[in-house]
Amino acid sequence: MPTQTPKKRAGIQSVEIGMRVLEALAGLGGARPLAAIVRGCGLSPSQTHRYLASLSEAGMVQQDIHGNYDLGPAALKLGLSALARIDAFRIADEKLADFRNQTQSTVLLAALGPEGPTIVRWHMGHPPVVTSLALGSLLSLVNSATGQVFLAFRPEPETAGFVQAEIARNATIDEACVEKIKAGVRERGMAHVDGTLIPGLDAKAFPIFDLQGNAVLAATLLSLPNPREGGNSKSALQLQATCKEISQALGAPHMLQ
């Protein structure tokens, strides 16, 4: 009996350390070299490398062509499974499925994940929209309609890291540009991007608020551009009403519903 206790503790400790490495990687907001992960998790380089190797075998971590580490497909699957168990996701998914059936419009549902706005559900309309996006795709926080909803309606500490990363990657974006986008989205209550993310596709995104008044999810209508409609097409107005219903079901403050 005495010899079994240390083994049990060692096994638990390994899981805890592995989670520590994963949390450090997730907090870095994208693919990073070993040294950055070492600083984040506080382990030695050799110990961190061993855990990353094991996590890679399990699909929780992957390496890019430069040798940098990022979250892997198993981590994404686990995260999406967790989202699927949240009532907000279930309620929104059912309502958006009804919206698609009534309008035959294509709509996607997204959440703000550890790496940015992430597509968690896709309801394809008729005719289908042809795009490279799919479940698990990451979207720009600044340049996509979906991301702009989170940019405008999530607390700044939750989005600041993503914003700084996009500014560093894109010389056309600065703080003034970001503030202008936030103000516009808040004023309209929605985000509208025409062909910026995907040429030839129009995206209109609406927030789904939770009890605390934060945009817990975003629903985005994808369609062919129609300059005369702006953000006020019949389907867009119906999706806006659907998002308000979902927000009401989630207990959002009355002024946001």
Side-chain angles (χ1 to χ4, degrees), residues 18-19 21-23 25-26 55-62 70-83 113-115 118 120 136:
M19 288 302 300
V21 173
L22 279 176
E23 288 173 0
L25 179 56
L55 291 167
S56 296
E57 288 293 326
M60 297 294 288
V61 169
Q62 60 187 0
D70 204 349
L71 296 177
L76 175 61
K77 183 178 179 180
L78 193 63
L80 293 176
S81 296
L83 283 170
E115 295 184 81
T118 306
V120 296

Side-chain angles (χ1 to χ4, degrees), residues 1 10-11 14 19 32 42 44 54 64 67 71 76 79-80 83 93 130 135 137 142 163 191 196 219 223 228 250 256:
M1 183 67 69
S14 295
M19 288 302 300
R32 293 292 186 273
S44 68
S54 296
D64 61 19
L71 296 177
L76 175 61
L80 293 176
L83 283 170
D93 191 40
V130 179
L135 285 179
S137 291
V142 178
V163 169
T196 300
S223 61
R228 292 176 298 177
L250 298 180
L256 298 176

